[in-house]
Amino acid sequence: MMHVHRIKPQGATTGARWRPALGLLLVVLAFGAGCRREQGEQALRRDVAGLQAAIESRDAGGVAEFLASDFIGNDGLDRDGARRLAALYFLRNATVGITAGPLDIQLRDDHATVRNTVALTGGSGGLLPDAGRVYAVTSGWRLEDGDWRMTSLSWDAP
């Protein structure tokens, strides 16, 4: 009796062998995308905190560093106008405080929208602020060379 050996085509087992590896690759890519999102959000939170620190230290130039060159705010306020407005506020107030509520961040690739409430206080340097106001704030951000820059800002006193 004659034995017949069946020869499997070479590609038949190769595809089966690669399916688990392909599945693992997809999981790693999905996890990596989640990590990048997390890293992007952490970097954005760091830069929002940096902007807050520049405001509290009354540094108008430091505030401007977080603004994109095409920044736009309420009533057509541009980047230089925002820097001048911050400098005026800092000149009028010996102390400046900012208390931000929780950040609601919506991240899309290299753009983000941040919504929160902010209490801004200012005064002559005594124990209590002379003035204070709460604002509902929405800001747009763009990732530029690894740093988040604010592209837009709108605020409203509720």
Side-chain angles (χ1 to χ4, degrees), residues 107-119:
L107 197 60
R108 293 173 308 281
D109 298 322
D110 59 350
H111 288 81
T113 302
V114 178
R115 289 181 179 82
N116 66 327
T117 56
V118 172

Side-chain angles (χ1 to χ4, degrees), residues 104-153:
D104 174 19
I105 297 176
Q106 296 167 344
L107 197 60
R108 293 173 308 281
D109 298 322
D110 59 350
H111 288 81
T113 302
V114 178
R115 289 181 179 82
N116 66 327
T117 56
V118 172
L120 188 61
T121 58
S124 59
L127 290 176
L128 297 174
D130 296 333
R133 195 136 192 211
V134 176
Y135 298 93
V137 177
T138 301
S139 56
W141 294 76
R142 179 177 58 229
L143 193 58
E144 295 179 354
D145 299 323
D147 295 314
W148 287 97
R149 295 294 173 247
M150 188 186 298
T151 58
S152 63
L153 178 67

Side-chain angles (χ1 to χ4, degrees), residues 20-132:
L22 180 59
L24 180 62
L25 177 63
L26 292 174
V27 169
V28 168
L29 288 175
F31 179 71
C35 287
R36 279 194 302 275
R37 176 180 168 75
E38 210 171 278
Q39 290 169 350
E41 185 172 326
Q42 287 174 349
L44 179 57
R45 286 180 184 278
R46 178 199 66 222
D47 288 344
V48 169
L51 175 60
Q52 181 176 341
I55 292 169
E56 288 179 331
S57 65
R58 303 174 58 240
D59 181 3
V63 169
E65 287 181 19
F66 289 95
L67 306 180
S69 60
D70 58 346
F71 170 83
I72 190 79
N74 283 12
D75 300 321
L77 185 70
D78 65 4
R79 183 176 190 262
D80 191 51
R83 183 194 52 75
R84 288 194 316 267
L85 181 63
L88 178 63
Y89 188 79
F90 299 154
L91 284 173
R92 288 184 178 172
N93 295 280
T95 61
V96 175
I98 184 168
T99 304
L103 302 179
D104 174 19
I105 297 176
Q106 296 167 344
L107 197 60
R108 293 173 308 281
D109 298 322
D110 59 350
H111 288 81
T113 302
V114 178
R115 289 181 179 82
N116 66 327
T117 56
V118 172
L120 188 61
T121 58
S124 59
L127 290 176
L128 297 174
D130 296 333

